[in-house]
Structures are given as C-alpha cells and as structure tokens.
Amino acid sequence: MHPFRKAVEDRDMAAVEALLAEEVVFTSPVAFSPYPGKPITAAILRAVMRVFEDFRYVREIADEGGRDHAFVFEATVAGKRLSGCDFLHFDEEGKIDDFTVMVRPLSAATALAEAMGAQFERIKTEAAAAIENGSAGL
C-alpha cells in the first residue's frame, strides 16, 4: 500500500503533511483557482477529513516510474454519496508537488462545496498559523 494511502486511511494527518512538498499545488474539485503551498493544502486536507464520512479508497493506479498516482475513493458528505479521485504527482524527493481532486456526481460535489465553504474560515486561520509558525500545521 502506498504511504499516502496508508496515512489517509489511518487518518494520520502528520504523515499526510510529511508527504507534501513545500511548493505543492492543490486543485480542488469545487474551486476555480488552485491553492499553492503546503500550509493551505494541509489545512484543506484536514477540513476534508472533517467533512467526509465513510471515506475509503477503492482503487490505486500508478505509473511505472511511481511519480504519478491516482487514488479512487468513495465517501459521504451531507448525506450524499460521492465517488472521486485524488491525482497526485510526486517530485524527485518523493513529496507530493501536485494534488488534484475530482468528484462526482454533481449533487455530491455541490454538497462538498457547501461543507467546505463552511470550513473555509477555519482553513484560512490554520494556514495562516502554520505560515506564522513556519510549519504546515503540525
């Protein structure tokens, strides 16, 4: 099992954050602009763990070189079942430098957008604190 998948399934945010490159770019399924940097990405991922229920990975796909991975998942948010995929690219040091998420169906994506919107002030506060403390929020 890939270390990222294990960390997420164990709900070990310290391990997830340790896998993020400082310059990681997070592309959300429900926001137009990507979010650059480890502090905001870590804060978003912590919020996702708060809003997703019954989260589980159901499939893992990787390229031969091991730098590109797709992790297919299922979860519930606000009573809506969703399917999604985390597309990750790993840099030369094995850190995630590109993190893109896609989800379906539209009704679940809308519920996710609303749930994450309710978390966004906390996300911004956590990211700002991490930047101030010189860490990703550990």
Side-chain angles (χ1 to χ4, degrees):
M1 179 182 300
H2 191 277
F4 174 79
R5 179 177 179 173
K6 179 163 179 28
V8 171
E9 289 181 349
D10 290 347
R11 301 185 65 81
D12 183 350
M13 280 308 300
V16 171
E17 292 173 23
L19 290 168
L20 299 175
E22 291 298 325
E23 69 282 354
V24 64
V25 175
F26 181 83
T27 304
S28 165
V30 296
F32 179 74
S33 297
Y35 296 96
K38 185 174 181 175
I40 190 72
T41 299
I44 289 168
L45 294 176
R46 284 191 300 275
V48 167
M49 286 208 175
R50 290 189 296 268
V51 303
F52 275 170
E53 302 165 27
D54 306 321
F55 180 90
R56 67 186 184 100
Y57 283 116
V58 295
R59 189 168 177 204
E60 183 177 331
I61 306 162
D63 73 335
E64 286 185 24
R67 303 231 358 231
D68 289 292
H69 285 262
F71 298 91
V72 181
F73 64 85
E74 295 175 347
T76 303
V77 62
K80 302 279 186 184
R81 286 296 297 158
L82 64 83
S83 298
C85 192
D86 293 335
F87 296 98
L88 308 182
H89 181 268
F90 292 82
D91 65 16
E92 305 80 35
E93 297 173 8
K95 303 283 188 178
I96 301 165
D97 61 4
D98 186 65
F99 195 129
T100 300
V101 181
M102 294 186 185
V103 298
R104 63 160 309 281
L106 180 58
S107 61
T110 301
L112 178 60
E114 290 170 2
M116 290 300 290
Q119 294 280 321
F120 214 73
E121 285 305 313
R122 181 173 175 181
I123 290 168
K124 290 191 305 188
T125 299
E126 287 179 9
I131 291 168
E132 187 175 301
N133 294 328
S135 70
L138 300 176

